[in-house]
Amino acid sequence: MPPRFDGLRALFINTTLKRSPEVSNTEGLIRLSSQIMRQHGVEVDELRAVDHDIATGVWPDMTEHGWATDEWPQLFPRVLDAHILVLCGPIWLGDNSSVMKRVIERLYACSSLLNDNGQYAYYGRVGGCLITGNEDGIKHCAMNVLYSLQHLGYTIPPQADAGWIGEAGPGPSYLDPGSGGPENDFTNRNTTFMTYNLLHLARMLTAAGGIPAYGNQRSAWDAGCQPDSANPEHR
């Protein structure tokens, strides 16, 4: 019997440069992964970042640092509500989109927050990425995204990325008629594997109560209680 993942929540952030309702090819690949999750009981949330007024910067609320408006403080609770975060976006000039960079910077802005165990807030959560485009760069973009997520505290499962690119140079995008994208076996396989790996690891972490807290508590370190310290008062 196929496994169930009821109780898990996932957030897909689409970092396309296109505002709604313009067609996003990245959204086509998101649809494949999110459909698998929904079929197995996962509550899925989707966010197209460019539709929101997300200020540039590395502070939780940029209105406190010179910006007139910033929607990130209102969007961030959706990040904390998710056991699984999948950052998704297109390739431009061989790299992640400017919107992807901005979202990662704002995630970084909130990375000093702590969870109930005194660890960084993203501990115990799982991260992955989906990349689309019609030029080379999937692995390069995925390396940047996955490194960033693990550095912030997310746990990355095996095969945590997937993507689709057409032929090198100008050509059809993923959802364009005749592109072959939605039928591509390699992309479909990798997206499916990524999705299930995210689900399995998220369920494992949730069942275990997250990452064990010994040795990685920012709150304890700041209080002077350093693991394996020679001073017994700091153990």
Side-chain angles (χ1 to χ4, degrees), residues 29 46 117 128 194 228:
L29 203 52
E46 298 180 24
N117 293 326
M194 178 210 73
D228 305 310

Side-chain angles (χ1 to χ4, degrees), residues 40-77:
H40 292 273
V42 179
E43 182 180 335
V44 177
D45 186 13
E46 298 180 24
L47 168 65
R48 189 181 292 205
V50 76
D51 288 341
H52 300 274
D53 181 16
I54 301 174
T56 299
V58 290
W59 296 98
D61 185 350
M62 292 306 300
T63 63
E64 299 175 356
H65 298 271
W67 286 75
T69 59
D70 183 13
E71 283 189 52
W72 184 253
Q74 289 75 50
L75 298 173
F76 184 63

Side-chain angles (χ1 to χ4, degrees), residues 11 26 31 56 63 71 77-78 84 96 130 161 169 173 202-203 214 230:
L11 172 63
T26 300
R31 195 176 303 128
T56 299
T63 63
E71 283 189 52
R78 295 165 67 176
I84 300 168
N96 287 299
L130 293 170
D161 65 296
S173 296
R203 184 168 65 178
Y214 184 83

Side-chain angles (χ1 to χ4, degrees), residues 8 10-13 26-47 84 86 88 130 191-192 194-196 198-199:
L8 291 182
L11 172 63
F12 290 80
I13 300 183
T26 300
E27 188 174 333
L29 203 52
I30 290 172
R31 195 176 303 128
L32 175 60
S33 179
S34 64
Q35 183 178 18
I36 293 173
M37 291 189 181
R38 288 189 173 100
Q39 288 173 346
H40 292 273
V42 179
E43 182 180 335
V44 177
D45 186 13
E46 298 180 24
L47 168 65
I84 300 168
V86 188
C88 317
L130 293 170
T191 303
T192 300
M194 178 210 73
T195 303
Y196 280 106
L198 289 169
L199 293 171

Side-chain angles (χ1 to χ4, degrees), residues 1 13 24 45 71-72 79 99 112 128 151 156 171 184 188 202-203 207 222 234:
M1 178 180 295
I13 300 183
S24 163
D45 186 13
E71 283 189 52
W72 184 253
V79 174
V99 180
S112 62
H151 182 74
I156 309 301
N184 186 277
N188 290 340
R203 184 168 65 178
D222 289 347
H234 292 166

